[in-house]
Amino acid sequence: MAPPSTFDSDPATLTVTKIPLAAPTAITPTTVSGSATSLKIAFTNASNATSYTARVYLASDGTTLIATATSYTSNTAITGLSAGTAYKVTLTSVGDANYADSSASALSSQISTLSAAAAATITSPTSISKTVGQSHIFSASGTTASDGGTLSYQWESATAAAPSTYSSIAGATGVNYTTPTLAIGDNGTVYRVVVTNAINGTTTAATFKCCNANCCKDNFEHAITAIRCCSARISNIAYCHFYKRF
């Protein structure tokens, strides 16, 4: 009796794929208190996700990628952004051996980082004439910051021989500065104040203002000096000349 014939069937392939994850939901970007270069994202976790990847895009086009944060957790600050700039974000759920990464979520609503510090508005100190043995109080008391930032002051001085070379005056960090008792060698000394505004983790030096020649109009030589002071165009400072009468 002949043996039975055997036949092999065509092979069948078994395909096993990972389970697709859903993207997180309720994605809400917000600013970070005290930082003009950060934002954070709150969201609702997706089931079975092991972590999340956040991406930050310019809101103006929604395609220019600015920052990527892997292993992102809700309400963690994303830093290194630009102050006063509008952004949108997406989140992606990250899977494991059994779950596939999700597609990126839809772009979030727009969020703008906090503004950088505004330049303070300086009330320039006024040039003055004094006699030997006196002292004088210079003041920048009218200085303000429109954004409510914290102002700091540093008074500086330069000699008549080198009027463009300023040095910080040790301890002179208040809105007012009182000179020591004046000697004849102080004649022609130039003083200025640098005012810095700080807010939201940023600082900005104050807008430049200079003495007007009219502050010394009682003396032609002094007026010429004041005009030269204004023509120097040193940015971000307010300054004045200090004269002594012989």
Side-chain angles (χ1 to χ4, degrees):
M1 181 175 181
S5 297
T6 59
F7 298 93
D8 295 328
S9 68
D10 292 334
T13 301
L14 174 64
T15 301
V16 179
T17 60
K18 294 183 178 182
I19 302 168
L21 290 173
T25 57
I27 298 170
T28 307
T30 57
T31 59
V32 176
S33 178
S35 175
T37 57
S38 305
L39 59 77
K40 58 186 179 180
I41 311 168
F43 59 92
T44 300
N45 291 331
S47 297
N48 301 308
T50 58
S51 64
Y52 302 92
T53 299
R55 293 179 175 86
V56 181
Y57 298 88
L58 283 179
S60 57
D61 59 20
T63 59
T64 301
L65 180 64
I66 300 301
T68 300
T70 57
S71 300
Y72 185 77
T73 56
S74 185
N75 284 316
T76 301
I78 298 173
T79 61
L81 306 178
S82 297
T85 302
Y87 297 101
K88 294 182 178 182
V89 303
T90 66
L91 284 170
T92 300
S93 300
V94 177
D96 56 16
N98 297 318
Y99 292 90
D101 296 355
S102 73
S103 299
S105 65
L107 287 167
S108 70
S109 59
Q110 178 174 304
I111 183 69
S112 293
T113 48
L114 299 176
S115 297
T121 301
I122 289 180
T123 298
S124 298
T126 303
S127 295
I128 192 71
S129 294
K130 289 285 184 175
T131 57
V132 169
Q134 293 183 311
S135 62
H136 183 68
I137 300 174
F138 289 112
S139 179
S141 60
T143 301
T144 59
S146 60
D147 55 8
T150 301
L151 298 179
S152 60
Y153 303 84
Q154 178 61 62
W155 290 86
E156 300 177 341
S157 65
T159 65
S164 62
T165 303
Y166 285 88
S167 298
S168 296
I169 302 170
T173 56
V175 66
N176 300 322
Y177 169 64
T178 303
T179 68
T181 301
L182 299 167
I184 200 65
D186 296 318
N187 185 52
T189 300
V190 186
Y191 291 84
R192 70 184 185 185
V193 60
V194 179
V195 184
T196 301
N197 182 31
I199 194 170
N200 298 329
T202 63
T203 58
T204 302
T207 302
F208 161 79
K209 289 185 179 181
C210 72
C211 296
N212 187 295
N214 290 334
C215 68
C216 301
K217 64 184 178 181
D218 60 327
N219 184 293
F220 179 76
E221 179 182 356
H222 293 169
I224 294 299
T225 304
I227 292 170
R228 186 164 61 247
C229 157
C230 289
S231 68
R233 300 295 181 187
I234 302 172
S235 62
N236 297 329
I237 56 171
Y239 57 100
C240 60
H241 282 265
F242 193 44
Y243 310 101
K244 315 294 179 299
R245 296 187 187 279
F246 293 93

